[in-house]
Amino acid sequence: MRKRAFITGISGLELSAAEREFIRSEQPWGFILFKRNIETSAQVALLVRELRETVNDAEAPILIDQEGGRVQRLGPPNWPVYPAGAVFGALYDIDPMLGLTAARLSARLIADDLAGLGITVDCLPLADVPVEGADAVIGNRAYGTKAAKVAAIARAVADGLEQGGVLPVLKHIPGHGRATADTHFRLPEVDASREELERTDFAAFQPLADLPMAMTAHVVFSTLDPAHPATTSATIVKQVIRGVIGFQGLLMSDDVSMNALVGSIAERTRAIISAGCDMVLHCNGNLDEMREVARETPELSAKALERANRALASRKAPLPLDRKAARARLDGLIDRVGMAGA
């Protein structure tokens, strides 16, 4: 059966009968897990297997947001804590090689956690470049405030994930760093000139344009398209994401249920696909909304199907990892940040 162009969450620790029926019928391309879906390693691994069995696809992508810092769906007591992105930026300022090494090590260890559960995609790295006065929703998740530094650390994070057999998702393209609102709650508008955006925000994404997947920003760039956020803007998808930045991988929306978007879930879904996104992401596990997304989402075909297949085909077998040594090295590097600030 052909897959539909959406990724869905589910409501709890296991599939309900209604969710199982919906998934079997609608055949989403992939799934995304949140804290509400996570209890123990055995439970998560069983849920992952069940999701794949329900779509009869052993390779169906399973996504998660596992950044470290305050965005970490897997956490204590069953999984370790990882540093926020700003820690790698601080290390980079001491010595760029130290920052890149720590970023790669942290991502490699995260990938090891995920691969052990059957999770194959991490919504990481961020290439957002925050500015003074921006909303704290990005905050210390960011690697820095200079495009070249952000891109370098993001590349190291992506490399670490890929070395562990996990696909990265670049976010939030073409940039969330200037947003003055949390898009979970309302729509931010950025009024920077195109020249300034190309010099800073977009420049951080350009060196990462070869990554297999990216997630959009629910942000209005008023000098480019005053009427639509990037997620639903054909102008921004075509001219900026595919054009200026040059990203040619699978493009997924940020969560369609966020309050930054307007209209019904069905209307939002249609707008996302019409703008040129390949995939609609729905996260909250509300089955009625999931059904709306499915009704308005086409089957994967043409270029979207090609990009989806190319992304999955790029996943490599994990390289060997001495986990104990890698964690000790990462902790030693993190301690350098503390010593530098003492």
Side-chain angles (χ1 to χ4, degrees), residues 99-334:
L100 299 179
T101 299
R104 191 176 299 108
L105 276 172
S106 182
R108 179 65 185 88
L109 286 161
I110 286 172
D112 191 58
D113 294 338
L114 301 185
L117 300 169
I119 299 170
T120 50
V121 182
D122 194 3
C123 298
L124 192 69
L126 280 74
D128 302 311
V129 182
V131 298
E132 187 175 350
D135 188 90
V137 66
I138 298 299
N140 70 354
R141 298 163 66 192
Y143 307 130
T145 57
K146 302 295 183 185
K149 173 183 170 181
V150 168
I153 296 174
R155 173 65 69 182
V157 169
D159 288 347
L161 291 175
E162 291 176 328
Q163 288 166 10
V166 170
L167 292 172
V169 176
L170 177 64
K171 62 187 188 186
H172 304 83
I173 198 167
H176 204 300
R178 294 178 185 272
T180 54
D182 183 341
T183 52
H184 290 87
F185 306 111
R186 65 186 181 90
L187 178 64
E189 182 172 326
V190 169
D191 60 5
S193 68
R194 179 170 185 143
E195 292 72 23
E196 186 176 3
L197 291 167
E198 290 187 4
R199 182 173 51 82
T200 55
D201 305 62
F202 305 164
F205 286 90
Q206 285 172 322
L208 306 163
D210 62 313
L211 291 182
M213 291 184 272
M215 180 187 295
T216 61
H218 294 336
V219 176
V220 168
F221 296 91
S222 60
T223 58
L224 301 171
D225 183 344
H228 305 95
T231 301
T232 60
S233 170
T235 298
I236 291 177
V237 170
K238 183 177 181 180
Q239 295 185 10
V240 177
I241 296 175
R242 300 298 191 192
V244 174
I245 292 172
F247 177 73
Q248 297 304 318
L250 180 74
L251 184 64
M252 68 180 71
S253 72
D254 203 345
D255 182 11
V256 66
S257 66
M258 285 181 174
N259 288 330
L261 300 183
V262 298
S264 68
I265 294 295
E267 289 167 337
R268 298 175 191 187
T269 300
R270 289 195 297 270
I272 288 166
I273 295 296
S274 294
C277 291
D278 300 313
M279 195 75 59
V280 178
L281 176 66
H282 183 268
C283 295
N284 67 20
N286 180 305
L287 189 54
D288 288 338
E289 290 188 6
M290 290 156 64
R291 291 186 173 116
E292 279 194 73
V293 171
R295 278 195 298 268
E296 301 299 332
T297 304
E299 288 186 351
L300 269 175
S301 62
K303 288 186 177 180
L305 178 60
E306 291 175 16
R307 288 190 278 255
N309 289 341
R310 189 167 66 242
L312 295 186
S314 71
R315 190 165 71 89
K316 304 176 181 69
L319 297 176
L321 175 70
D322 182 335
R323 186 176 179 95
K324 185 176 180 180
R327 185 71 214 205
R329 173 68 169 147
L330 176 61
D331 289 343
L333 291 170
I334 294 170

